[in-house]
Amino acid sequence: TGPKELTLPIATSLYNKEVKKAVDGVVTIKVQNYQKISLATVQSLQKLAASKKVTLVIVFDWISNGAVMSRYTVDVSKIDSDLLLFQTDKEQMYRSFFEQYYSNKLSVQSVGGKGVEASVAVRLPSDDVADKLIVYSYDSVTNKYYQIDSAKITFDSNGYAHFRSNGGDVFIL
């Protein structure tokens, strides 16, 4: 059936509800388990936000077993192509690939959109890994991975690592 898409009618309806609650010129839409937003929808949302002179931010949450597993927060003005998120069907493929080179316990999260800088929050695999966590951002288009500066990773009391994406689409923890 394909990824669940955030369509223009759904996004516009959410925008219209949230624009009244804008804080400091920022309208935030929160959605769960949407895996795609098309460039056409993005461009329409960009025009809508520009007409009201606001910044539109979408918070995409991936929920599994009642818990947020990953969060991808993006300023809509930064998106310039279709955005595919939470490609969970590909995570095992990436895990198998990286397990060829690493023997430690890996968590693979296919969270982000290629080439789009965003804020990312990922649920840690266990409570005892924060002090030794290393996060890599993998760009499947260029087949390169980059280590996220550990000084820029923060942890919250709910078991999430927070960091800025450099445009990669898969995160290896």
Side-chain angles (χ1 to χ4, degrees):
T1 58
K4 183 177 174 185
E5 183 169 352
L6 180 59
T7 62
L8 184 57
I10 294 168
T12 302
S13 175
L14 292 168
Y15 172 85
N16 288 333
K17 289 177 188 173
E18 296 301 323
V19 73
K20 299 171 191 122
K21 303 177 200 172
V23 176
D24 296 325
V26 178
V27 176
T28 302
I29 295 174
K30 295 180 180 180
V31 296
Q32 295 179 352
N33 291 1
Y34 282 94
Q35 295 173 280
K36 180 180 180 182
I37 184 168
S38 72
L39 179 58
T41 296
V42 166
Q43 290 170 332
S44 294
L45 291 172
Q46 289 169 340
K47 289 177 188 172
L48 192 59
S51 73
K52 297 285 187 183
K53 295 183 173 44
V54 296
T55 300
L56 176 57
V57 171
I58 302 179
V59 178
F60 293 91
D61 283 347
W62 185 256
I63 309 290
S64 180
N65 297 322
V68 176
M69 302 308 291
S70 307
R71 173 170 286 160
Y72 188 81
T73 305
V74 63
D75 177 340
V76 171
S77 69
K78 308 275 188 215
I79 305 171
D80 61 4
S81 65
D82 288 352
L83 191 61
L84 290 171
L85 303 165
F86 312 122
Q87 301 301 297
T88 56
D89 57 325
K90 295 181 181 176
E91 288 178 4
Q92 184 56 47
M93 175 187 70
Y94 290 120
R95 180 177 287 106
S96 296
F97 174 77
F98 283 98
E99 283 176 344
Q100 295 175 53
Y101 305 101
Y102 298 96
S103 60
N104 52 322
K105 183 177 179 182
L106 297 175
S107 174
V108 177
Q109 303 282 331
S110 180
V111 175
K114 295 177 184 82
V116 179
E117 188 173 315
S119 294
V120 178
V122 177
R123 188 172 191 88
L124 296 174
S126 66
D127 292 336
D128 63 344
V129 299
D131 60 338
K132 51 191 167 209
L133 182 71
I134 299 173
V135 178
Y136 292 95
S137 172
Y138 175 66
D139 184 332
S140 62
V141 173
T142 62
N143 194 32
K144 293 183 180 178
Y145 65 96
Y146 308 91
Q147 185 172 344
I148 306 268
D149 183 354
S150 60
K152 295 181 180 178
I153 301 171
T154 60
F155 304 94
D156 67 27
S157 60
N158 296 318
Y160 292 89
H162 299 264
F163 52 91
R164 296 278 308 159
S165 159
N166 61 357
D169 54 325
V170 177
F171 300 96
I172 300 93
L173 297 95

